[in-house]
Amino acid sequence: MTEPAKRAVMATRKDFRTLVHVPSGETLDENGRGLWPADSFTFRLLQEGALKDAPDEAPAALLKGK
């Protein structure tokens, strides 16, 4: 089974840093960044403005900590 595609995202406001991806349980780090599944939940939060795409360098930096 292949792992689902991931998308580097970041919170648009400090209070959104506590968001939890449903159903995976992924969270954002203390800076509000994360590598989340590219699914309908993530896309909805992007569309609503709670998340935005992280800068291009974010995926490599996020993977270093994993």
Side-chain angles (χ1 to χ4, degrees):
M1 189 167 135
T2 61
E3 188 172 324
K6 298 280 187 164
R7 186 166 186 148
V9 296
M10 59 190 302
T12 57
R13 295 191 335 222
K14 192 172 185 174
D15 57 324
F16 290 146
R17 293 180 182 180
T18 59
L19 288 170
V20 177
H21 183 275
V22 177
S24 75
E26 296 276 346
T27 59
L28 300 172
D29 68 15
E30 65 276 357
N31 297 314
R33 295 172 178 256
L35 196 58
W36 279 18
D39 63 6
S40 60
F41 182 79
T42 301
F43 291 127
R44 189 182 87 228
L45 290 174
L46 286 162
Q47 184 178 37
E48 291 175 354
L51 297 175
K52 65 181 181 179
D53 285 314
D56 292 339
E57 69 276 3
L62 289 168
L63 290 174
K64 285 182 185 176
K66 302 257 177 201

